[in-house]
Amino acid sequence: MIEKLRNIVEKFNQEISKEYYLQGAGLKDDIKFDEIYKKYPEIKDKENINILKQAISKNEDNPEESRKLTLFLENIYNEVISSELSSLSEELLLKEASGKIEINGKDAYFRSSMIEMINQEDRNIRESIRKKRNEFIDDNLNPIHVKIHNQEKELIEKLEYKNLIDMFQSLSGINLYTLNDSMQNFLKMSEDMYVDILSYYAKNKLNLKISELKKHDLLYILRGKEFDKFFPQQDLLPEMSKFVSKMGIDISAGNNIKFDLDIREKKSPRAFCSPVKIPSEVYLVIYPRGGENDYTSFLHELGHALHFANINNDLGFEYKWYGDNSVTEGYAMSLDHLTMNPIWMEKILGVNFKESKDYYIHRNFFELMMLRRYAGKLDYEIKLAEADSLKGMDEVYSEVLSDASKVHYSGTNYLEDVDGYFYVARYLRAWMFQANLHKCLRNKFNEDWFANPNAGKFLTDLWGLGQKFSAEELLEMNNCPSLSVNPVFDDINNALSN
Ligand SMILES: [Zn+2]
């Protein structure tokens, strides 16, 4: 019974992943999640929850099997909820993808208006695009978001959990309140440092005080076009291939990874990695535009791709597909953070540290802003899940996010800016995992571990374990410092005070 269910869910995951890849790569227009759900009616059968619960209690004295089944159960819960909400999610996606707003008398796609807004030099035009975007979200997207939020809440209660926090904590074993405490402490610790540097950029780039800043100003400050010269566009794949080969790593993991760097009109502007068959068919898709962001995003997705493509084939279905996503996000971040590492930049891209100090300040400012934003997001998402109704939650969102990032956030995105099933917690834990793992790699293999085949072997062995172990367990098994935000703070503090 369980084996049969594993086979069905694995085939379903493969089809969803392939659909996601084809649509995101711009090779296919529509996205037919509903059709795939229809092909696999077993997926949303609530009875699966009982079957798995019974199997877990039968396997109490078999920790290996019950560990797998618990991961399976967590994802079956999420499948049951997603399938109930799939028509609304499709409606939302369609509205978002086809929606248009008017900019300077011309129609523009809602999705691309974001890039237009960030690139706009004139602050008044930026502000008018922001207003048009918010009107579109309020009129077209928020009504669907509200329906999704309320239905999800109802479903969670029907499944006998108090709320999403209760469900997430019981199934994942991650305590959101402890994580939130340490992140709120991080906000306090980093406040002065952040305000100093934000004031500096506001004054120098926009001649504004920080009390006048809006979110689009922050995005504008963070563009960093002046550093594009360090990152030659045409060399991305060969350079990164040369880099990982210094660790003895094959960038395609024996052709398991297929790279798609072509320019295609309908390709998603966001890079992504799609594991269709693990480990043998993994896609890495990026729309290169030139500049630092290409390298950082490529390295992030490469971290995911190398992880999936190096997973031990006979590890078992649950450890390949499920588990603590802080781990795969942590591997992704351990590669993307290399563009913040002066030794890597010098050795791999030939960028001299002394001649590029502005770049590191910019990069660390970006890092600190993102961490503070995510700390705010976690606090808000906990409040959202605790709330009985949505009344006033847009104001809570605006308050919490504005306070964390010190720029004004409007309330409009209070449902749009929420990651499903507390993914925000996985990201924050990945940040910690990454900083701890880097510390560990430096201790074991020196500062230039990224050019050392022994470090390559160490990483490949870790990747082979899929997500069998949580971020905490992996650090403990390898005698690394335990999961905490301190090394994240130290890294930024060192970089910004030098
Ligand atoms: Zn990622």
Side-chain angles (χ1 to χ4, degrees):
M1 191 71 198
I2 298 283
E3 247 349 271
K4 200 178 145 206
L5 192 59
R6 280 180 174 132
N7 281 327
I8 293 169
V9 178
E10 182 155 30
K11 285 209 180 79
F12 167 80
N13 286 353
Q14 290 173 346
E15 282 202 42
I16 289 275
S17 216
K18 184 107 188 190
E19 186 75 4
Y20 180 67
Y21 154 66
L22 289 170
Q23 207 267 347
L27 296 165
K28 189 172 178 296
D29 273 343
D30 51 350
I31 194 147
K32 294 225 161 95
F33 287 149
D34 250 7
E35 263 177 33
I36 302 175
Y37 274 107
K38 270 188 203 125
K39 226 171 119 185
Y40 297 91
E42 305 89 340
I43 296 288
K44 61 172 173 188
D45 189 352
K46 290 195 187 72
E47 192 46 32
N48 291 332
I49 293 174
N50 293 328
I51 294 171
L52 281 164
K53 278 185 178 167
Q54 277 163 17
I56 291 171
S57 62
K58 263 191 224 152
N59 279 285
E60 263 169 6
D61 47 2
N62 184 352
E64 182 71 24
E65 184 65 8
S66 75
R67 188 183 180 103
K68 281 188 187 169
L69 291 167
T70 307
L71 294 180
F72 200 2
L73 178 66
E74 178 177 22
N75 284 278
I76 284 293
Y77 266 108
N78 278 301
E79 278 315 336
V80 167
I81 294 174
S82 321
S83 66
E84 296 275 348
L85 299 173
S86 71
S87 315
L88 281 172
S89 311
E90 252 188 49
E91 194 189 331
L92 184 71
L93 218 67
L94 204 76
K95 275 252 162 78
E96 223 180 66
S98 61
K100 286 183 176 174
I101 60 172
E102 197 203 292
I103 300 175
N104 287 340
K106 272 189 275 171
D107 272 354
Y109 276 108
F110 168 71
R111 277 187 172 167
S112 57
S113 65
M114 177 72 158
I115 296 178
E116 192 110 359
M117 182 172 75
I118 300 171
N119 286 332
Q120 183 53 248
E121 304 276 340
D122 185 326
R123 187 163 189 251
N124 292 325
I125 302 178
R126 280 209 302 276
E127 182 57 16
S128 78
I129 302 177
R130 181 193 72 89
K131 281 198 179 128
K132 293 259 172 63
R133 282 180 54 85
N134 282 2
E135 275 165 28
F136 178 85
I137 296 169
D138 275 329
D139 296 344
N140 296 282
L141 306 183
N142 278 347
I144 311 174
H145 277 302
V146 168
K147 277 191 208 162
I148 292 179
H149 177 87
N150 290 335
Q151 278 195 25
E152 186 190 74
K153 195 169 155 58
E154 239 172 73
L155 281 163
I156 290 170
E157 284 162 15
K158 266 195 210 148
L159 293 167
E160 291 170 13
Y161 286 106
K162 192 175 153 225
N163 53 32
L164 184 63
I165 301 169
D166 181 28
M167 177 174 152
F168 178 84
Q169 295 195 143
S170 317
L171 292 168
S172 72
I174 293 169
N175 188 317
L176 292 169
Y177 293 101
T178 314
L179 182 65
N180 196 30
D181 284 348
S182 68
M183 289 317 297
Q184 298 317 301
N185 190 38
F186 174 86
L187 281 180
K188 283 194 201 98
M189 275 164 38
S190 64
E191 178 125 344
D192 290 347
M193 176 163 74
Y194 181 70
V195 167
D196 276 357
I197 188 162
L198 180 62
S199 314
Y200 167 83
Y201 279 124
K203 174 99 191 52
N204 280 280
K205 293 206 170 184
L206 296 164
N207 203 19
L208 293 173
K209 291 195 201 89
I210 62 171
S211 56
E212 298 169 296
L213 289 177
K214 296 202 169 182
K215 193 181 157 194
H216 58 73
D217 294 320
L218 185 59
L219 297 173
Y220 179 78
I221 292 174
L222 288 165
R223 244 182 3 161
K225 267 220 148 316
E226 62 270 41
F227 308 117
D228 285 3
K229 57 178 188 273
F230 299 147
F231 302 92
Q233 186 172 357
Q234 68 280 13
D235 298 343
L236 179 59
L237 190 58
E239 283 300 325
M240 294 305 97
S241 176
K242 234 176 19 193
F243 144 55
V244 293
S245 73
K246 289 187 201 292
M247 282 194 284
I249 292 170
D250 168 18
I251 197 161
S252 77
N255 278 331
N256 283 357
I257 306 173
K258 328 266 179 258
F259 295 93
D260 176 356
L261 282 83
D262 297 342
I263 306 287
R264 218 171 282 125
E265 205 194 357
K266 286 180 176 161
K267 203 176 199 181
S268 158
R270 239 180 113 160
F272 65 92
C273 166
S274 200
V276 172
K277 288 188 183 127
I278 302 174
S280 60
E281 190 183 340
V282 178
Y283 295 90
L284 189 161
V285 181
I286 182 170
Y287 191 141
R289 287 160 200 281
E292 176 264 319
N293 193 261
D294 278 0
Y295 277 69
T296 305
S297 313
F298 179 85
L299 285 168
H300 181 95
E301 302 311 330
L302 183 64
H304 283 305
L306 284 171
H307 176 213
F308 291 124
N310 280 293
I311 291 181
N312 233 323
N313 193 27
D314 43 13
L315 193 64
F317 159 71
E318 288 91 342
Y319 297 153
K320 287 178 172 177
W321 286 91
Y322 302 140
D324 178 11
N325 279 335
S326 325
V327 172
T328 192
E329 293 302 341
Y331 293 143
M333 285 191 194
S334 19
L335 292 195
D336 76 37
H337 274 63
L338 288 169
T339 58
M340 292 175 70
N341 180 329
I343 307 169
W344 186 86
M345 287 290 291
E346 171 115 44
K347 280 210 167 184
I348 306 295
L349 295 181
V351 176
N352 181 285
F353 176 65
K354 285 200 183 106
E355 289 158 18
S356 52
K357 279 193 171 165
D358 285 354
Y359 166 73
Y360 295 101
I361 295 172
H362 173 90
R363 261 317 251 118
N364 280 280
F365 168 60
F366 182 78
E367 171 85 348
L368 182 55
M369 186 281 292
M370 287 299 277
L371 274 154
R372 293 184 59 91
R373 178 176 134 71
Y374 271 75
K377 260 164 72 71
L378 176 62
D379 193 43
Y380 165 70
E381 289 187 28
I382 289 175
K383 290 185 164 79
L384 179 69
E386 283 170 341
D388 290 328
S389 87
L390 285 174
K391 201 166 171 278
M393 287 317 293
D394 52 346
E395 283 158 37
V396 176
Y397 171 80
S398 165
E399 249 166 59
V400 174
L401 270 291
S402 302
D403 192 39
S405 62
K406 306 292 172 207
V407 301
H408 182 260
Y409 266 67
S410 83
T412 307
N413 288 82
Y414 78 119
L415 294 173
E416 180 105 352
D417 192 15
V418 171
D419 302 303
Y421 194 59
F422 280 108
Y423 210 80
V424 57
R426 310 278 186 187
Y427 275 132
L428 285 167
R429 287 162 48 83
W431 247 302
M432 300 176 185
F433 182 61
Q434 162 275 133
N436 280 282
L437 188 63
H438 273 193
K439 204 169 166 184
C440 203
L441 285 161
R442 289 195 295 267
N443 288 342
K444 286 184 204 286
F445 309 106
N446 291 329
E447 292 291 335
D448 61 348
W449 57 267
F450 47 77
N452 184 336
N454 292 326
K457 163 98 178 51
F458 176 77
L459 283 173
T460 315
D461 288 346
L462 284 179
W463 294 332
L465 300 169
Q467 287 193 142
K468 179 172 179 174
F469 301 103
S470 70
E472 286 91 344
E473 287 169 324
L474 284 170
L475 292 173
E476 201 190 316
M477 283 158 58
N478 290 287
N479 301 318
C480 301
S482 57
L483 201 70
S484 97
V485 75
N486 298 335
V488 183
F489 178 81
D490 293 345
D491 284 350
I492 300 174
N493 193 28
N494 289 339
L496 290 178
S497 48
N498 269 335

